[in-house]
């Protein structure tokens, strides 16, 4: 009674019966598998491309800031302040654009910069955490804009915010403060670094609780407030640091002087962008479910699904029954070699093979019979040099002897020694392949009755 070949279970299929997936007997394709080679190749290529795309997007792409036009450090628009951060980077001032826990990152030895924050519930929540930092620079908002749709990183229109917007930000630090919009050119005084900003129609503030650092004729431009161990510097007009105003007059010097005056030695400037809605969560699982990491997660799930499918029952054609014993000379040689290796007779076999090589060489050459082992080695080395062999008998013989004297060496040592013996013998008989005058056996001689060697014609 014939046995059913090993497979995923079930009865053997009759000829012409549809196999798994309903595509031909035992599978779909010449090999009997569920997928053809072309389908597997396409799946592998698509998987690699998806993984590479997800990785590149995760490393280089920033969907939140790609088309921003607002009042933030990523914006190239007139009301943004990316130029300010780029100037600080060029001056090699340590700088970090942060999207979460910004006050904690600034800590005691850093400077937290909250520039032109939004007035939303998330932004107000982020603003409330700035009290955890020791030194804070607040830049009050002044402008809003509408993007230019052909290029959404630029503005098509700017509009002045109501006084209530900067007053709401200011009220988080100072009570009873007032915003003044001046229509006249101001005369500045009070700055220790003797750098005067260049602003037209300045936005100023008034409050008895703000110590003026730089003030004009109608109010304070830059002031200081100390509250519960935190030092706040408040810049009332963002035109000093915005992309459209930082290149006016000495505004760039003024913007850099602000940072240098506040930044503790060895500290880092931390720009808080959570107040503009740019937030990231340190939660790994939430990131895996967000673009672009969700692409990698989906690819991983697909790979696991295919692996489970491959391990499930009835996948592919039934496996053929392996033959009990392999027929032919190769199987006999492999079995004999395995028995010799198991018996541990490899050193003795290598010595016998060495003697057999010398006897075989003696049938092709006139080796003197009265030579002892030392003289025979010297004689064979001289003949080998004359014939241009790449191996010397003394070296081959010593390595073979060393292999037989080692304690439990691996099988590879014996094989390498035997190959060197065979190669040396063949070069002695037939000459080295690289030698243009190499020797060869008489073509008229049979395999068991070789003639004397001679030079090539």
């Amino acid at each position: 009674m014939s046995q059913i070949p090993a497979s995923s279970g079930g009865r053997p299929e009759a000829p012409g019966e549809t196999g798994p997936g309903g595509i031909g007997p035992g599978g779909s394709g010449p090999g009997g598998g569920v997928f053809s080679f072309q389908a597997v190749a396409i799946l592998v290529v698509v998987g690699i491309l998806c993984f590479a795309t997800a990785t590149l997007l995760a490393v280089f792409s920033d969907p939140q800031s790609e088309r921003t036009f607002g009042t933030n450090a990523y914006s190239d628009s007139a009301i943004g302040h990316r130029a300010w951060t780029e100037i600080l980077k060029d001056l090699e001032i340590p700088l970090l654009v942060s999207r979460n826990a910004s006050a904690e990152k600034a800590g005691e030895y850093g400077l937290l910069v909250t520039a032109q924050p939004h007035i939303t519930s998330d932004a107000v929540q982020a603003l409330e955490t700035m009290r955890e930092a020791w030194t804070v620079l607040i830049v009050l908002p002044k402008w809003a804009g509408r993007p230019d749709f052909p290029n959404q990183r630029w503005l098509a229109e700017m509009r002045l915010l109501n006084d209530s917007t900067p007053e709401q930000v200011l009220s988080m630090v100072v009570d009873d403060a007032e915003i003044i919009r001046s229509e006249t050119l101001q005369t500045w005084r009070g700055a220790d670094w003797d750098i005067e900003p260049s602003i037209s129609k300045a936005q100023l503030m008034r409050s008895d609780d703000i110590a003026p650092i730089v003030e004009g004729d109608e109010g304070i431009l830059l002031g200081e407030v100390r509250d519960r161990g935190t030092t706040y510097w408040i810049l009332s007009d963002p035109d000093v640091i915005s992309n459209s105003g930082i290149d006016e007059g000495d505004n760039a010097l003024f913007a850099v002087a602000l940072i240098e005056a506040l930044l503790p030695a060895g500290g880092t400037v931390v720009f808080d962008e959570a107040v503009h809605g740019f937030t990231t969560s340190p939660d790994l699982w939430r990131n895996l479910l967000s673009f672009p990491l969700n692409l990698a997660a989906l690819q991983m799930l697909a790979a696991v699904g295919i692996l489970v499918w491959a391990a499930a029952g009835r996948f592919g054609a039934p496996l053929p029954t392996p033959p009990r014993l392999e027929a032919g000379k190769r199987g006999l040689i492999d079995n004999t070699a395995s028995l010799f290796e198991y018996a541990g007779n490899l050193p003795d076999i290598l010595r016998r093979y060495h003697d057999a090589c010398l006897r075989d060489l003696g049938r092709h050459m006139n080796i003197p019979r009265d030579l002892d082992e030392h003289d025979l080695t010297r004689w064979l080395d001289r003949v080998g040099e004359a014939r241009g062999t790449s191996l010397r008998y003394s070296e081959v013989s010593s390595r073979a002897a060393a292999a037989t004297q080692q304690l439990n060496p691996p099988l590879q040592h014996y094989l390498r020694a035997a190959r060197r013996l065979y190669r040396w013998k063949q070069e002695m008989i037939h000459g080295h392949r690289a030698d243009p005058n190499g020797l060869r056996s008489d073509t008229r001689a049979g395999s068991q009755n070789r003639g004397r060697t001679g030079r090539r014609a």
Side-chain angles (χ1 to χ4, degrees):
M1 182 176 180
S2 60
Q3 296 181 344
I4 298 175
S7 68
S8 55
R11 62 180 178 81
E13 296 172 351
E17 185 177 354
T18 302
I23 308 177
S28 66
V34 171
F35 298 110
S36 65
F37 176 79
Q38 291 82 357
V40 173
I42 292 174
L43 287 175
V44 171
V45 171
V46 170
I48 293 175
L49 290 177
C50 289
F51 179 77
T53 303
T55 302
L56 292 175
L57 287 174
V59 173
F60 297 107
S61 178
D62 187 0
Q64 285 187 310
S65 62
E66 282 181 353
R67 294 188 176 183
T68 180
F69 58 88
T71 55
N72 57 73
Y74 302 111
S75 176
D76 293 325
S77 70
I79 59 178
H81 53 266
R82 182 177 180 179
W84 188 19
T85 60
E86 294 296 332
I87 290 172
L88 297 177
K89 289 178 183 179
D90 291 341
L91 295 176
E92 298 183 353
I93 296 176
L95 184 143
L96 172 66
V97 179
S98 173
R99 298 186 179 187
N100 58 67
S102 302
E104 181 180 348
K105 294 173 184 177
E108 179 180 354
Y109 301 104
L111 169 62
L112 177 64
V113 179
T114 303
Q116 310 178 78
H118 293 168
I119 302 301
T120 61
S121 58
D122 293 338
V124 171
Q125 184 178 1
L127 279 171
E128 291 175 351
T129 63
M130 66 183 176
R131 297 183 176 89
E132 300 176 8
W134 286 44
T135 309
V136 181
L137 172 61
I138 303 174
V139 183
L140 299 182
K142 181 180 179 181
W143 300 99
R146 181 173 59 83
D148 183 14
F149 287 100
N151 186 354
Q152 296 191 19
R153 296 181 68 89
W154 292 357
L155 293 180
E157 180 185 356
M158 288 175 57
R159 62 180 177 85
L160 194 64
L161 294 172
N162 295 329
D163 296 352
S164 59
T165 302
E167 285 178 353
Q168 188 175 353
V169 176
L170 188 57
S171 65
M172 302 189 70
V173 181
V174 181
D175 295 329
D176 300 328
E178 181 185 6
I179 294 296
I180 304 297
R181 299 277 173 78
S182 175
E183 296 291 334
T184 61
L185 190 64
Q186 300 292 308
T187 301
W188 307 109
R189 56 186 179 275
D192 293 337
W193 49 76
D194 294 329
I195 303 173
E196 291 190 0
S198 178
I199 308 174
S200 61
K201 299 182 180 181
Q203 175 177 279
L204 305 173
M205 54 189 173
R206 289 177 184 172
S207 175
D208 295 336
D209 297 328
I210 301 177
I213 298 175
V214 177
E215 59 180 336
D217 301 327
E218 301 179 44
I220 301 172
L221 174 67
L222 178 65
E224 181 182 56
V225 176
R226 296 180 182 269
D227 181 32
R228 302 176 186 178
T230 300
T231 300
Y232 299 95
W233 276 25
I234 306 170
L235 180 64
S236 63
D237 198 317
D239 289 350
V240 181
I241 55 92
S242 64
N243 293 332
S244 61
I246 198 169
D247 60 345
E248 299 291 337
D250 292 334
N251 286 350
L253 297 176
F254 188 89
V256 173
L258 273 176
I259 300 299
E260 292 178 341
L262 284 173
L263 183 63
T268 301
V269 183
V270 180
F271 278 83
D272 184 12
E273 289 303 322
V275 297
H276 298 120
F278 299 100
T279 58
T280 57
S281 172
D283 187 355
L284 175 61
W285 296 108
R286 181 178 298 178
N287 287 336
L288 285 177
L289 297 178
S290 302
F291 182 84
L293 291 182
N294 55 359
L295 298 179
L298 290 175
Q299 176 64 24
M300 180 178 63
L301 292 176
V304 172
I306 293 176
L307 180 62
V308 172
W309 187 19
R314 295 297 296 171
F315 184 84
L319 299 176
T321 303
R324 295 181 179 274
L325 292 175
E326 295 184 2
K329 294 182 180 179
R330 183 176 185 83
L332 178 61
I333 293 173
D334 290 341
N335 292 334
T336 305
S338 300
L339 290 175
F340 277 125
E341 181 182 2
Y342 178 78
N345 295 329
L346 296 180
D348 185 50
I349 293 174
L350 182 59
R351 284 190 291 268
R352 292 186 179 185
Y353 181 71
H354 171 267
D355 297 339
C357 287
L358 291 181
R359 289 195 299 270
D360 191 19
L361 185 62
R363 291 195 294 268
H364 296 81
M365 302 176 60
N366 292 325
I367 300 178
R369 297 180 178 273
D370 56 347
L371 298 178
D372 57 16
E373 182 178 356
H374 178 69
D375 292 337
L376 177 62
T377 301
R378 295 179 58 187
W379 189 87
L380 290 174
D381 283 346
R382 289 197 303 270
V383 174
E385 292 178 1
R387 293 177 174 239
T389 59
S390 61
L391 298 173
R392 294 172 57 85
Y393 172 73
S394 56
E395 177 185 356
V396 172
S397 177
S398 62
R399 291 192 179 183
T404 59
Q405 295 174 2
Q406 291 185 16
L407 181 62
N408 297 325
L411 177 63
Q412 288 76 10
H413 285 212
Y414 295 107
L415 294 177
R416 284 196 292 268
R419 289 193 186 101
R420 281 193 292 267
L421 279 169
Y422 176 79
R423 179 181 170 187
W424 168 79
K425 184 193 71 171
Q426 293 297 107
E427 290 184 3
M428 288 288 288
I429 296 175
H430 303 291
H432 189 262
R433 292 181 179 180
D435 183 10
N437 297 320
L439 302 175
R440 60 178 175 84
S441 60
D442 190 355
T443 57
R444 296 170 297 178
S447 59
Q448 302 296 329
N449 185 24
R450 296 184 179 90
R452 291 289 304 279
T453 57
R455 292 287 179 180
R456 290 180 179 176

